[in-house]
Amino acid sequence: MNANNNGKNLSDRDIELLVGRLLRTGVITASCIVLLGGILFLIQHGSAPMPSYHHFNGEDSSFTTFGGIISSTLQFNAKGIVQFGVMVLIATPVLRIALSLLGFALEKDKLYVIITTIVLCVMLFSTIGGLKL
Amino acid sequence: MTILTFTIILLVGAYLAGLVGSLTGLGGGVVVIPLLTLVFHVDIRYAIGAALLASIANSSGAASAYVKEGITNIRLGMFLEIATTVGAVIGALLAVYTPTNTIAILFGCILLFSAAMTLRKKNQVALTEGSKTSEFLKLNGSYPTPAGPVDYKLKNVGAGFSIMTLAGILSGLLGIGSGALKVLAMDSTMHIPFKVSTTTSNFMIGVTAAASAVVYLQRGYMDPAIAFPVVLGVLGGAFTGARLLKKLDPKVLRYIFCAAIVFVAAEMMYNGFQHKF
């Protein structure tokens, strides 16, 4: 609990607090964006009949690519805004890894800088590695 | 049914899923998938996409509190995330080639396993002798208890790492946090006290789910109209659940929920065998 059990834990503790704050901020921000987009979506399409989700059709590219989501958000497209919130939500744990990397670097913990970099690379690989089949 | 009605019913359902998920410790995603597929007849891959988002929201929300209390072992989580993220990407790739009925049957099996895991005896004992690998990787730590900080060490790092890879694959394939498998790896295999293993598992779920969520998003399996009520509902339910947990002893509830989950698992598997997905 308290940071004075030994010197090493002092910076560990700071990182923990920072990570905790980042996670909470990320989730709250994402939820607010999703809520905003969702309300807008219901106002515009609420009375339309429910589409069939029984068969997979896939979303079009304005809701699956980074550029597409950003541009439909800027056009105030309700689904685009929800998808933007979804992106913020997915980005939250990725940012957490980046923050941990910075923390381990400041602590000069080489082993964990390497370990964290590996995890970050896997995440980047799945984001931009052309996994869209 | 209009979109508005669908949204409201889904919001209530997701809220209950989040509530049940947090009271049993199973996580909201596990309950969202049967809700979407069995009740709303949504394609299981849309359901997986939504459940992954619910897992990220849940994990990040809960982890922020545990991290602040200093129970979570961040180094251990970071190290094991190599296994879970690689596994999650593999799982998400496998999902394209796996028939949906197979996914449903597999999901039922994992659900049964998870139910059994919530009823097991928990490891409370902290090891005093750790393995060399755990020493080298700086995985040993301490966590606060009412009686003061307790030091713990761990062993079987390799075996734990392997189970984590499997947990990652299943997470990407089925859209769940695989909390039960993560706890099996840490608690039963690496001999970590359960308070540390459950919170560290929770901490890792967000990253694991995000690794495969990106793949699902790019493939078009994240539908905004489903994602929106599911994410908000599950988060709200989990929040209520966390508050309720402080007031009541969930032991009896756990048995009831586990019975219900066994029923749901049987239903998923039956429908899978009948090729209804």
Side-chain angles (χ1 to χ4, degrees):
Chain A
M1 278 305 193
N2 41 19
N4 56 4
N5 27 16
N6 61 47
K8 185 204 115 213
N9 279 357
L10 196 95
S11 40
D12 263 15
R13 197 69 204 114
D14 292 339
I15 297 173
E16 279 174 7
L17 289 175
L18 220 64
V19 163
R21 196 174 299 162
L22 171 84
L23 290 174
R24 212 184 36 238
T25 314
V27 171
I28 294 174
T29 313
S31 314
C32 292
I33 300 173
V34 166
L35 180 66
L36 184 79
I39 291 174
L40 203 62
F41 174 69
L42 286 182
I43 293 172
Q44 288 169 357
H45 305 281
S47 52
M50 172 193 161
S52 167
Y53 292 111
H54 190 53
H55 293 289
F56 172 67
N57 304 311
E59 305 301 315
D60 62 60
S61 69
S62 53
F63 305 124
T64 59
T65 59
F66 183 73
I69 293 173
I70 296 291
S71 67
S72 46
T73 305
L74 291 176
Q75 288 160 16
F76 265 98
N77 179 302
K79 276 183 154 187
I81 297 174
V82 173
Q83 219 62 339
F84 181 66
V86 162
M87 244 172 38
V88 173
L89 188 65
I90 297 176
T92 301
V94 185
L95 283 175
R96 189 266 278 174
I97 303 173
L99 186 67
S100 306
L101 180 66
L102 185 75
F104 289 130
L106 287 176
E107 280 184 59
K108 298 201 173 57
D109 187 335
K110 273 189 196 149
L111 180 66
Y112 273 84
V113 167
I114 296 170
I115 289 175
T116 312
T117 308
I118 296 174
V119 178
L120 206 55
C121 287
V122 176
M123 299 298 292
L124 291 179
F125 171 76
S126 86
T127 314
I128 49 177
L131 295 180
K132 186 171 156 59
L133 298 175
Chain B
M1 200 190 308
T2 66
I3 289 181
L4 183 65
T5 330
F6 172 68
T7 307
I8 291 171
I9 300 175
L10 193 53
L11 192 67
V12 174
Y15 179 83
L16 294 175
L19 187 66
V20 171
S22 90
L23 287 177
T24 49
L26 284 169
V30 156
V31 195
V32 161
I33 292 176
L35 174 77
L36 282 171
T37 54
L38 298 177
V39 181
F40 291 106
H41 303 287
V42 168
D43 183 287
I44 196 166
R45 284 167 292 196
Y46 278 126
I48 292 173
L52 280 172
L53 293 179
S55 299
I56 300 175
N58 240 346
S59 154
S60 304
S64 74
Y66 294 134
V67 169
K68 275 206 289 188
E69 284 169 36
I71 307 172
T72 316
N73 186 333
I74 290 190
R75 281 199 168 73
L76 176 68
M78 209 68 234
F79 170 66
L80 292 174
E81 275 164 10
I82 296 178
T84 60
T85 50
V86 170
V89 174
I90 296 173
L93 290 177
L94 281 178
V96 204
Y97 305 104
T98 315
T100 45
N101 290 298
T102 313
I103 293 181
I105 295 166
L106 206 57
F107 183 84
C109 298
I110 293 297
L111 215 51
L112 287 180
F113 170 74
S114 305
M117 282 296 287
T118 58
L119 299 178
R120 90 210 179 285
K121 221 172 145 241
K122 292 183 174 70
N123 175 31
Q124 302 247 33
V125 191
L127 277 190
T128 49
E129 276 298 310
S131 67
K132 273 190 184 145
T133 328
S134 75
E135 202 70 54
F136 173 73
L137 290 168
K138 293 182 255 188
L139 300 177
N140 302 322
S142 69
Y143 73 105
T145 64
V150 171
D151 289 315
Y152 60 89
K153 300 198 164 161
L154 45 106
K155 57 181 187 183
N156 302 331
V157 176
F161 193 83
S162 314
I163 300 177
M164 282 297 175
T165 313
L166 182 67
I169 294 176
L170 289 172
S171 170
L173 190 59
L174 307 175
I176 53 177
S178 300
L181 262 172
K182 287 192 170 81
V183 174
L184 176 77
M186 291 197 261
D187 194 315
S188 315
T189 312
M190 299 165 92
H191 295 270
I192 302 164
F194 84 92
K195 243 194 145 169
V196 178
S197 59
T198 41
T199 54
T200 306
S201 151
N202 211 309
F203 180 67
M204 295 169 60
I205 285 174
V207 168
T208 313
S212 43
V214 175
V215 181
Y216 279 88
L217 177 73
Q218 292 177 340
R219 289 225 188 95
Y221 281 112
M222 298 271 183
D223 187 275
I226 299 178
F228 133 69
V230 165
V231 168
L232 296 178
V234 167
L235 254 183
F239 186 72
T240 316
R243 300 212 139 181
L244 277 178
L245 266 182
K246 284 182 188 152
K247 285 186 198 143
L248 46 88
D249 176 27
K251 212 171 173 184
V252 183
L253 278 176
R254 227 165 246 182
Y255 283 105
I256 301 170
F257 289 144
C258 282
I261 277 159
V262 168
F263 176 75
V264 171
E267 181 90 12
M268 290 286 289
M269 287 160 86
Y270 175 79
N271 283 341
F273 281 118
Q274 297 288 316
H275 290 273
K276 282 192 184 157
F277 280 98

